[in-house]
Short mmCIF file of all heavy atoms in Angstrom, two decimals:
data_model
loop_
_atom_site.label_atom_id
_atom_site.label_comp_id
_atom_site.label_asym_id
_atom_site.label_seq_id
_atom_site.Cartn_x
_atom_site.Cartn_y
_atom_site.Cartn_z
N ASN A 190 84.93 100.47 126.43
CA ASN A 190 84.73 101.91 126.31
C ASN A 190 84.83 102.63 127.65
O ASN A 190 84.38 103.77 127.79
CB ASN A 190 83.36 102.21 125.68
CG ASN A 190 83.32 101.77 124.24
OD1 ASN A 190 84.28 101.98 123.50
ND2 ASN A 190 82.22 101.14 123.85
N ASP A 191 85.42 102.00 128.62
CA ASP A 191 85.52 102.54 129.97
C ASP A 191 86.93 103.08 130.18
O ASP A 191 87.87 102.34 130.44
CB ASP A 191 85.21 101.42 130.97
CG ASP A 191 85.19 101.89 132.40
OD1 ASP A 191 85.57 103.04 132.68
OD2 ASP A 191 84.80 101.08 133.26
N ARG A 192 87.06 104.42 130.04
CA ARG A 192 88.38 105.04 130.13
C ARG A 192 89.08 104.78 131.46
O ARG A 192 90.27 104.44 131.48
CB ARG A 192 88.26 106.53 129.86
CG ARG A 192 89.59 107.23 129.90
CD ARG A 192 89.42 108.68 129.56
NE ARG A 192 90.64 109.39 129.88
CZ ARG A 192 90.97 110.52 129.35
NH1 ARG A 192 90.18 111.09 128.47
NH2 ARG A 192 92.08 111.11 129.70
N PRO A 193 88.41 104.92 132.61
CA PRO A 193 89.10 104.62 133.87
C PRO A 193 89.60 103.18 133.95
O PRO A 193 90.67 102.92 134.48
CB PRO A 193 88.03 104.89 134.95
CG PRO A 193 87.09 105.86 134.30
CD PRO A 193 87.07 105.50 132.84
N LYS A 194 88.82 102.27 133.38
CA LYS A 194 89.27 100.87 133.37
C LYS A 194 90.50 100.71 132.48
O LYS A 194 91.43 99.97 132.82
CB LYS A 194 88.15 99.95 132.91
CG LYS A 194 88.48 98.49 133.06
CD LYS A 194 87.24 97.65 133.00
CE LYS A 194 87.57 96.25 133.47
NZ LYS A 194 86.50 95.60 134.14
N TYR A 195 90.52 101.42 131.35
CA TYR A 195 91.70 101.42 130.48
C TYR A 195 92.93 101.91 131.24
O TYR A 195 94.00 101.31 131.18
CB TYR A 195 91.49 102.35 129.28
CG TYR A 195 91.22 101.64 127.99
CD1 TYR A 195 90.05 101.88 127.30
CD2 TYR A 195 92.15 100.77 127.44
CE1 TYR A 195 89.80 101.25 126.11
CE2 TYR A 195 91.89 100.14 126.23
CZ TYR A 195 90.71 100.38 125.57
OH TYR A 195 90.47 99.76 124.39
N GLU A 196 92.75 103.00 131.94
CA GLU A 196 93.87 103.57 132.67
C GLU A 196 94.34 102.62 133.77
O GLU A 196 95.55 102.47 134.00
CB GLU A 196 93.49 104.93 133.24
CG GLU A 196 93.34 105.97 132.16
CD GLU A 196 92.94 107.35 132.68
OE1 GLU A 196 92.75 107.50 133.90
OE2 GLU A 196 92.82 108.26 131.85
N GLN A 197 93.41 101.94 134.39
CA GLN A 197 93.76 100.95 135.40
C GLN A 197 94.54 99.81 134.76
O GLN A 197 95.54 99.35 135.32
CB GLN A 197 92.48 100.42 136.06
CG GLN A 197 92.72 99.36 137.10
CD GLN A 197 91.41 98.80 137.64
OE1 GLN A 197 90.32 99.21 137.26
NE2 GLN A 197 91.52 97.83 138.52
N LEU A 198 94.12 99.36 133.60
CA LEU A 198 94.84 98.29 132.89
C LEU A 198 96.24 98.75 132.47
O LEU A 198 97.20 97.98 132.54
CB LEU A 198 94.04 97.83 131.67
CG LEU A 198 92.77 97.05 131.96
CD1 LEU A 198 91.96 96.84 130.68
CD2 LEU A 198 93.07 95.73 132.64
N LEU A 199 96.34 100.01 132.04
CA LEU A 199 97.65 100.54 131.67
C LEU A 199 98.60 100.59 132.87
O LEU A 199 99.79 100.32 132.73
CB LEU A 199 97.51 101.93 131.05
CG LEU A 199 97.17 101.96 129.57
CD1 LEU A 199 96.83 103.38 129.14
CD2 LEU A 199 98.32 101.42 128.75
N LYS A 200 98.07 100.95 134.01
CA LYS A 200 98.91 100.98 135.21
C LYS A 200 99.35 99.57 135.59
O LYS A 200 100.50 99.34 135.94
CB LYS A 200 98.16 101.61 136.38
CG LYS A 200 98.04 103.10 136.28
CD LYS A 200 97.25 103.66 137.46
CE LYS A 200 97.01 105.14 137.28
NZ LYS A 200 96.15 105.68 138.33
N ARG A 201 98.42 98.64 135.52
CA ARG A 201 98.71 97.25 135.91
C ARG A 201 99.64 96.56 134.92
O ARG A 201 100.51 95.79 135.29
CB ARG A 201 97.38 96.49 136.02
CG ARG A 201 97.49 95.00 136.16
CD ARG A 201 97.84 94.57 137.57
NE ARG A 201 97.64 93.16 137.79
CZ ARG A 201 98.46 92.20 137.38
NH1 ARG A 201 99.53 92.49 136.71
NH2 ARG A 201 98.20 90.95 137.64
N PHE A 202 99.46 96.84 133.63
CA PHE A 202 100.25 96.20 132.59
C PHE A 202 101.05 97.24 131.83
O PHE A 202 101.00 97.33 130.60
CB PHE A 202 99.32 95.43 131.63
CG PHE A 202 98.50 94.39 132.31
CD1 PHE A 202 97.16 94.64 132.61
CD2 PHE A 202 99.05 93.19 132.69
CE1 PHE A 202 96.40 93.68 133.25
CE2 PHE A 202 98.29 92.22 133.34
CZ PHE A 202 96.96 92.47 133.62
N ASN A 203 101.81 98.04 132.56
CA ASN A 203 102.52 99.17 131.96
C ASN A 203 103.63 98.75 131.00
O ASN A 203 104.09 99.56 130.21
CB ASN A 203 103.05 100.11 133.04
CG ASN A 203 104.04 99.42 133.96
OD1 ASN A 203 104.33 98.24 133.81
ND2 ASN A 203 104.50 100.16 134.95
N SER A 204 104.03 97.50 131.03
CA SER A 204 105.07 97.07 130.08
C SER A 204 104.48 96.26 128.93
O SER A 204 105.22 95.77 128.08
CB SER A 204 106.13 96.24 130.81
OG SER A 204 105.54 95.06 131.34
N ASP A 205 103.16 96.12 128.88
CA ASP A 205 102.51 95.37 127.81
C ASP A 205 102.23 96.30 126.63
O ASP A 205 101.39 97.20 126.71
CB ASP A 205 101.20 94.73 128.31
CG ASP A 205 100.64 93.73 127.33
OD1 ASP A 205 100.42 94.10 126.16
OD2 ASP A 205 100.41 92.58 127.73
N LYS A 206 102.95 96.08 125.54
CA LYS A 206 102.83 96.96 124.38
C LYS A 206 101.45 96.87 123.73
O LYS A 206 100.94 97.87 123.23
CB LYS A 206 103.91 96.63 123.35
CG LYS A 206 105.28 97.04 123.79
CD LYS A 206 106.30 96.78 122.72
CE LYS A 206 107.68 97.22 123.19
NZ LYS A 206 108.69 97.00 122.17
N THR A 207 100.85 95.70 123.75
CA THR A 207 99.52 95.54 123.13
C THR A 207 98.49 96.39 123.84
O THR A 207 97.68 97.07 123.20
CB THR A 207 99.10 94.07 123.12
OG1 THR A 207 100.12 93.29 122.49
CG2 THR A 207 97.81 93.87 122.37
N VAL A 208 98.50 96.37 125.17
CA VAL A 208 97.55 97.17 125.95
C VAL A 208 97.75 98.65 125.65
O VAL A 208 96.79 99.38 125.38
CB VAL A 208 97.71 96.89 127.46
CG1 VAL A 208 96.83 97.83 128.28
CG2 VAL A 208 97.36 95.44 127.77
N ALA A 209 98.99 99.11 125.64
CA ALA A 209 99.29 100.52 125.37
C ALA A 209 98.92 100.89 123.94
O ALA A 209 98.35 101.97 123.69
CB ALA A 209 100.76 100.80 125.62
N GLN A 210 99.21 100.00 123.00
CA GLN A 210 98.91 100.28 121.60
C GLN A 210 97.40 100.43 121.37
O GLN A 210 96.97 101.36 120.70
CB GLN A 210 99.43 99.13 120.74
CG GLN A 210 100.35 99.55 119.65
CD GLN A 210 100.98 98.34 118.99
OE1 GLN A 210 100.61 97.19 119.21
NE2 GLN A 210 101.95 98.62 118.14
N VAL A 211 96.63 99.53 121.94
CA VAL A 211 95.18 99.60 121.77
C VAL A 211 94.64 100.87 122.41
O VAL A 211 93.78 101.55 121.85
CB VAL A 211 94.48 98.36 122.36
CG1 VAL A 211 92.98 98.52 122.37
CG2 VAL A 211 94.87 97.11 121.57
N PHE A 212 95.17 101.21 123.57
CA PHE A 212 94.75 102.44 124.24
C PHE A 212 95.01 103.65 123.34
O PHE A 212 94.13 104.48 123.13
CB PHE A 212 95.50 102.57 125.56
CG PHE A 212 95.11 103.77 126.38
CD1 PHE A 212 93.92 103.80 127.08
CD2 PHE A 212 95.95 104.87 126.47
CE1 PHE A 212 93.57 104.90 127.84
CE2 PHE A 212 95.61 105.97 127.24
CZ PHE A 212 94.41 105.99 127.92
N ALA A 213 96.20 103.71 122.78
CA ALA A 213 96.57 104.84 121.92
C ALA A 213 95.77 104.82 120.62
O ALA A 213 95.28 105.86 120.17
CB ALA A 213 98.06 104.81 121.63
N ASP A 214 95.62 103.65 120.00
CA ASP A 214 94.88 103.53 118.74
C ASP A 214 93.41 103.91 118.92
O ASP A 214 92.85 104.64 118.12
CB ASP A 214 94.95 102.10 118.18
CG ASP A 214 96.33 101.73 117.70
OD1 ASP A 214 97.19 102.63 117.57
OD2 ASP A 214 96.55 100.53 117.46
N LYS A 215 92.82 103.39 119.97
CA LYS A 215 91.40 103.64 120.20
C LYS A 215 91.14 105.12 120.48
O LYS A 215 90.14 105.67 120.05
CB LYS A 215 90.89 102.80 121.35
CG LYS A 215 89.40 102.86 121.49
CD LYS A 215 88.92 101.80 122.42
CE LYS A 215 87.46 102.04 122.64
NZ LYS A 215 86.62 100.95 122.49
N ALA A 216 92.05 105.73 121.17
CA ALA A 216 91.89 107.14 121.50
C ALA A 216 92.20 108.03 120.30
O ALA A 216 91.92 109.22 120.33
CB ALA A 216 92.79 107.50 122.67
#
């Protein structure tokens, strides 16, 4: 539930569809 950590993960794994999908779904 830590939005800054999510954004950090998205930057680090910007080509990982699972990370992006979870971010979008959760939001």
Side-chain angles (χ1 to χ4, degrees):
N190 292 319
D191 184 351
R192 182 177 168 158
K194 188 163 193 148
Y195 255 121
E196 290 179 359
Q197 179 184 359
L198 290 171
L199 276 170
K200 285 179 186 175
R201 169 79 166 78
F202 302 102
N203 61 1
S204 63
D205 191 304
K206 289 184 179 181
T207 306
V208 174
Q210 235 172 9
V211 172
F212 182 75
D214 291 348
K215 189 167 173 131

